[in-house]
Amino acid sequence: MQRKYPFFKIGIIGGGQLAKMMTQEAKKMGFWVGVLDPTPSSPAGQLADRQIVADFYNPEALKTLVEESDVATYDIEHVNTQALKEESLRRKVFPSPELLEIIQDKLRQKETLSRGGIPVPRFLPEVSHKALRELGSPAIWKARFGGYDGKGVAKIEKAEDLASLPQKEAFMEELVTIEKELAVIVARSRSGETVAYPVVEMVFHTANHICDQVFAPARISEETAQKAQEIAQKCVTLLQGVGVFAVEMFLDQSGKLLVNEIAPRPHNSGHFTIEACVTSQFEQHLRAICGLPLGSTQLLVPAVMVNLLGEKGAEGVPVVEGLEEAMAIKGVSFHFYGKAQVRPFRKMGHVTIVDTDLEAAIRKAQRIKEILHIRS
Amino acid sequence: MQRKYPFFKIGIIGGGQLAKMMTQEAKKMGFWVGVLDPTPSSPAGQLADRQIVADFYNPEALKTLVEESDVATYDIEHVNTQALKEESLRRKVFPSPELLEIIQDKLRQKETLSRGGIPVPRFLPEVSHKALRELGSPAIWKARFGGYDGKGVAKIEKAEDLASLPQKEAFMEELVTIEKELAVIVARSRSGETVAYPVVEMVFHTANHICDQVFAPARISEETAQKAQEIAQKCVTLLQGVGVFAVEMFLDQSGKLLVNEIAPRPHNSGHFTIEACVTSQFEQHLRAICGLPLGSTQLLVPAVMVNLLGEKGAEGVPVVEGLEEAMAIKGVSFHFYGKAQVRPFRKMGHVTIVDTDLEAAIRKAQRIKEILHIRS
């Protein structure tokens, strides 16, 4: 089979760091990339062949992007699925707008997984005293729509808390006694082939519940790891997903795995794959959506990923502190997304540390957190 | 120490594949990149923040590029060193224009290495019957200026051949009975720290003497490998080089190492480092010229690199044949440089194959050469 240069024209809805890293891989292979993002010179837009500056919900802009592309995808979930369902567009968009709608509604997502035989925390499709009694307290309140990075989630300690919850469509879940939070990156091709990356441990910032570090591989038994990979692949097959997906799970204190949620795209928990795996999650995503064969998910070396968030009070042009010192640590890769403005807790970049000894990589990550800061 | 975004502004003279892969690494770290190249939308220009469309010898364009940058470098040797020697520019250009002038003149390069105690093939600074008698026949004729990829080199079988050589400034060398052609990528920082990557084997196309494949690591004794790395580092220190350098050597049939020539920049023989080493040669080059600490050169997995050249008769928009089949081979990374026009033997891209077993990677590379073609 022959393909004419640029081989594939990729449209990406959203021009953030995920789109940027997809663009890097696409350009490596000579592909053409168009990006839609409201911020001019977005991280991905700086590298893409073209950026359409418009809102993710703008149907005309979406239509233009997809029409110019052979294959379209997104780096965020909050897009206009209705516009993408138009007959001329839908066959080019991966994962499908229908799948995206399931993911956008966290209740529907949970119901779909549960009905498909995937182990999930016990949940009830309502917020009520009755539900709290059934689930026991404390319990978890979750907004159905729009939550990310710990937003749209609250802990209900006691019945009185029910009165002060945000007025949003929501549901309730049991509180899981978490041993570890795990994630598995899964890729599924157009032909239904699925592959899983090694299971990773996600470590969250206690205050804001943004993912702070990722350890690859997870320090769990071989048996648990295999089970987690099986569950993750089953989730993506159940959803008929095409592309890369992050399946986030709890390992509870009794050793049970429970799926928390699914991201229908490359994910923060898979950034380590750039340096540590044969095929990065971003190249893998492109392979999957373009109908190319999937690549090897083999881990070549243990790795730790540390997110670089804007410091408290940071506002304006970003300033990095400690770059020289950080880069002197062997095995460190520094990623900066190219956002022109820093804000507190904004994801500005990340560092991956590879080391043949995971515990040594974890110690190096600790050091990175001490010395490397993104201020203004 | 604090640095304001974009941290470093990098100027690159030349916008080909080496500049493109440098740009990829620079953009990963959030740096700003400007490129000078006569072809609009050059491989690097497609990813850079700015391309100046002008000739490499245009002094005004060179001046503009360097003035806009914190640090400037090049991806080719054939640039106007005179313009770069201007006082306001020279302190920003790495490697230095003076070093580049030594490299540009292959005779001066050889004399410099020889005087510095580096083992090189026996050479004489003239083309004459006397020199041929001294070196023995066959001997090698080399143009002093402008040669690359086997151009500017000829074999003199007998005295009569001397009459038909090109009328160029040239010199003569003994013919080495080559066991293997090796290369070592060396990085040297502004502070004089040097590191060497694992020694690789270069396999050349017999007809056109363009590098066809690279095997990493070279299948040589540990002792020879160590010796090669020492010689390579000594070369770069001797030249007071700052940046990444490729030191190409012959291993002769008696086991002796002889330096053939030095490229003052990242090099085809180091492309494998992107997938197989902790720090790629391109990031390493940026670290070196920016005054950042050097990264680890550790090889994580054996690798083979295969160049993708335009097929015989190819002319016009490139067409790839066999991409799906090639990408189905586990461990394959496909690189396409984004040149809009293919020509016979033009370097259009490369493939890296990683495999824990080097011999398996070599077999996969053979398969890639059979199935993957760049035509028009």
Side-chain angles (χ1 to χ4, degrees):
Chain A
M1 189 176 175
Q2 295 200 328
R3 290 194 176 273
K4 200 165 179 176
Y5 175 75
F7 315 137
F8 291 93
K9 297 184 82 178
I10 312 291
I12 311 175
I13 304 159
Q17 62 266 25
L18 301 174
K20 178 190 174 184
M21 292 183 269
M22 277 184 221
T23 302
Q24 291 262 43
E25 294 288 26
K27 294 304 296 178
K28 175 185 86 176
M29 299 187 279
F31 300 175
W32 181 95
V33 180
V35 164
L36 186 156
D37 196 278
T39 308
S41 197
S42 63
Q46 291 174 34
L47 297 167
D49 294 275
R50 142 136 161 103
Q51 177 176 342
I52 300 171
V53 179
D55 191 87
F56 309 128
Y57 285 85
N58 180 325
E60 277 316 302
L62 283 169
K63 199 175 151 110
T64 304
L65 180 81
V66 180
E67 278 175 352
E68 286 181 358
S69 310
D70 299 321
V71 181
T73 190
Y74 30 84
D75 92 333
I76 44 153
E77 286 90 281
H78 306 293
V79 304
N80 185 340
T81 54
Q82 212 48 49
L84 296 175
K85 282 178 167 175
E86 194 185 296
E87 208 42 47
S88 65
L89 309 184
R90 68 188 311 151
R91 64 188 169 74
K92 288 189 183 179
V93 180
F94 298 99
S96 72
E98 290 77 10
L99 181 149
L100 190 50
E101 286 179 346
I102 295 173
I103 298 286
Q104 282 175 343
D105 179 348
K106 287 194 177 164
L107 176 59
R108 221 181 125 197
Q109 183 187 144
K110 208 130 251 174
E111 287 171 341
T112 305
L113 295 174
S114 178
R115 271 200 305 271
I118 305 294
V120 295
R122 212 146 55 86
F123 67 98
L124 288 169
E126 58 184 64
V127 178
S128 66
H129 286 275
K130 183 168 167 288
L132 185 60
R133 278 194 304 274
E134 273 196 53
L135 294 169
S137 44
I140 299 295
W141 171 93
K142 279 195 178 170
R144 285 178 64 174
F145 301 96
Y148 66 96
D149 282 346
K151 291 188 183 72
V153 178
K155 197 193 254 189
I156 307 170
E157 299 281 359
K158 51 193 187 305
E160 295 83 81
D161 293 351
L162 285 168
S164 57
L165 290 165
Q167 291 305 306
K168 281 184 178 172
E169 291 184 86
F171 64 102
M172 283 171 68
E173 257 182 36
E174 66 170 328
L175 179 73
V176 176
T177 54
I178 298 169
E179 176 69 29
K180 280 179 193 290
E181 298 206 32
L182 305 176
V184 184
I185 301 290
V186 170
R188 185 166 175 276
S189 72
R190 291 208 210 172
S191 62
E193 177 194 4
T194 71
V195 293
Y197 283 86
V199 186
V200 300
E201 268 177 76
M202 297 175 77
V203 181
F204 289 86
H205 192 284
T206 40
N208 57 33
H209 209 74
I210 297 178
C211 173
D212 181 48
Q213 291 181 71
V214 169
F215 302 160
R219 296 161 304 171
I220 53 176
S221 71
E222 182 51 44
E223 194 193 336
T224 304
Q226 208 174 312
K227 183 82 186 150
Q229 286 181 317
E230 275 166 26
I231 292 171
Q233 284 175 286
K234 196 174 162 189
C235 288
V236 178
T237 301
L238 177 71
L239 294 168
Q240 299 277 302
V242 172
V244 155
F245 295 79
V247 181
E248 297 182 58
M249 305 182 194
F250 302 128
L251 175 65
D252 80 3
Q253 287 176 1
S254 73
K256 216 164 36 182
L257 290 163
L258 298 165
V259 172
N260 178 27
E261 63 178 49
I262 296 177
R265 49 168 172 76
H267 187 256
N268 204 171
S269 63
H271 291 354
F272 77 97
T273 60
I274 297 174
E275 283 84 9
C277 291
V278 171
T279 314
S280 81
Q281 66 169 345
F282 300 101
E283 175 173 333
Q284 195 74 283
H285 185 65
L286 295 170
R287 285 176 176 244
I289 66 175
C290 291
L292 291 164
L294 299 181
S296 163
T297 58
Q298 190 192 341
L299 184 77
L300 296 171
V301 59
V304 174
M305 193 265 343
V306 180
N307 274 327
L308 297 176
L309 309 180
E311 297 279 323
K312 231 191 312 190
E315 197 77 55
V317 177
V319 165
V320 65
E321 187 183 293
L323 184 61
E324 279 80 354
E325 213 184 323
M327 288 182 82
I329 299 173
K330 292 301 173 203
V332 161
S333 281
F334 172 71
H335 293 250
F336 200 83
Y337 302 144
K339 297 174 186 172
Q341 297 289 318
V342 60
R343 288 194 304 267
F345 305 116
R346 189 175 197 196
K347 286 182 182 166
M348 300 302 292
H350 74 265
V351 166
T352 304
I353 304 115
V354 299
D355 196 299
T356 44
D357 174 7
L358 178 61
E359 295 302 326
I362 292 171
R363 284 192 299 273
K364 288 176 179 177
Q366 192 47 46
R367 184 87 192 105
I368 292 289
K369 283 162 55 72
E370 286 160 19
I371 58 184
L372 195 59
H373 300 283
I374 312 297
R375 311 192 192 278
S376 59
Chain B
M1 191 177 172
Q2 295 201 330
R3 288 192 177 275
K4 200 165 178 177
Y5 174 77
F7 315 137
F8 293 94
K9 298 184 81 178
I10 312 291
I12 311 175
I13 304 160
Q17 62 267 22
L18 301 174
K20 178 190 174 183
M21 292 183 269
M22 276 184 222
T23 303
Q24 292 262 45
E25 295 287 27
K27 294 304 295 178
K28 175 186 87 176
M29 298 186 280
F31 300 174
W32 182 95
V33 180
V35 164
L36 186 158
D37 196 278
T39 308
S41 198
S42 64
Q46 291 173 37
L47 298 167
D49 293 275
R50 141 137 162 104
Q51 177 177 340
I52 301 172
V53 179
D55 192 87
F56 308 128
Y57 285 86
N58 181 324
E60 276 316 302
L62 283 168
K63 199 176 153 108
T64 304
L65 181 81
V66 180
E67 278 175 352
E68 285 182 0
S69 310
D70 298 320
V71 181
T73 189
Y74 30 83
D75 91 333
I76 43 155
E77 285 91 278
H78 306 294
V79 304
N80 186 339
T81 53
Q82 212 49 47
L84 296 175
K85 281 179 169 175
E86 195 184 295
E87 208 41 49
S88 65
L89 309 183
R90 68 188 313 152
R91 62 185 173 76
K92 289 189 184 179
V93 179
F94 299 97
S96 73
E98 289 77 10
L99 182 151
L100 189 49
E101 286 178 346
I102 295 173
I103 297 286
Q104 283 176 341
D105 179 349
K106 288 193 176 165
L107 176 58
R108 221 181 124 195
Q109 184 187 144
K110 208 129 253 172
E111 286 171 341
T112 306
L113 295 175
S114 178
R115 271 201 304 270
I118 305 293
V120 295
R122 211 146 55 86
F123 68 98
L124 288 168
E126 58 183 66
V127 178
S128 66
H129 286 276
K130 182 168 168 288
L132 185 60
R133 277 194 304 276
E134 272 197 53
L135 295 169
S137 48
I140 298 295
W141 171 93
K142 279 195 177 169
R144 286 178 63 174
F145 301 97
Y148 66 97
D149 282 348
K151 290 188 185 73
V153 179
K155 196 193 255 188
I156 307 169
E157 298 282 358
K158 51 192 187 307
E160 295 82 81
D161 293 351
L162 285 168
S164 57
L165 289 166
Q167 291 305 307
K168 282 183 177 171
E169 289 184 87
F171 64 103
M172 284 170 69
E173 254 182 38
E174 67 170 328
L175 179 74
V176 175
T177 54
I178 298 169
E179 176 68 29
K180 281 179 192 291
E181 298 206 31
L182 306 176
V184 184
I185 301 290
V186 170
R188 186 165 175 276
S189 72
R190 291 209 211 170
S191 62
E193 177 194 3
T194 71
V195 293
Y197 282 87
V199 186
V200 300
E201 269 178 73
M202 297 176 75
V203 181
F204 288 85
H205 192 284
T206 39
N208 57 34
H209 209 74
I210 297 178
C211 173
D212 182 47
Q213 291 180 70
V214 169
F215 302 159
R219 296 162 302 172
I220 54 176
S221 70
E222 183 51 46
E223 193 193 336
T224 303
Q226 209 174 311
K227 183 84 187 145
Q229 286 181 319
E230 277 165 25
I231 291 171
Q233 285 175 286
K234 195 173 163 189
C235 289
V236 178
T237 302
L238 178 71
L239 294 167
Q240 298 279 302
V242 172
V244 155
F245 295 79
V247 181
E248 297 182 59
M249 303 181 194
F250 302 127
L251 176 63
D252 80 3
Q253 288 177 1
S254 73
K256 214 164 35 182
L257 290 163
L258 298 165
V259 173
N260 178 29
E261 63 178 49
I262 296 177
R265 48 168 173 78
H267 187 256
N268 204 170
S269 63
H271 291 355
F272 77 97
T273 59
I274 297 175
E275 285 83 9
C277 291
V278 170
T279 313
S280 81
Q281 66 168 345
F282 300 101
E283 175 173 332
Q284 195 74 283
H285 185 64
L286 295 170
R287 284 175 176 244
I289 66 175
C290 291
L292 291 165
L294 299 181
S296 162
T297 59
Q298 190 192 342
L299 184 77
L300 295 172
V301 59
V304 174
M305 192 262 349
V306 180
N307 274 327
L308 298 175
L309 309 180
E311 296 279 323
K312 230 192 314 190
E315 197 77 56
V317 177
V319 165
V320 65
E321 187 183 293
L323 184 61
E324 280 81 353
E325 214 184 323
M327 287 183 82
I329 298 173
K330 292 301 172 204
V332 162
S333 281
F334 172 71
H335 294 249
F336 200 82
Y337 302 143
K339 297 174 186 174
Q341 298 288 317
V342 58
R343 288 193 305 267
F345 304 116
R346 189 175 197 197
K347 285 182 182 167
M348 299 302 292
H350 74 267
V351 166
T352 304
I353 304 114
V354 299
D355 196 300
T356 44
D357 173 6
L358 177 61
E359 294 302 326
I362 292 172
R363 286 191 299 274
K364 287 177 179 176
Q366 191 48 46
R367 184 89 192 104
I368 292 290
K369 283 162 56 72
E370 286 160 21
I371 59 184
L372 194 59
H373 300 283
I374 312 298
R375 310 190 192 279
S376 59

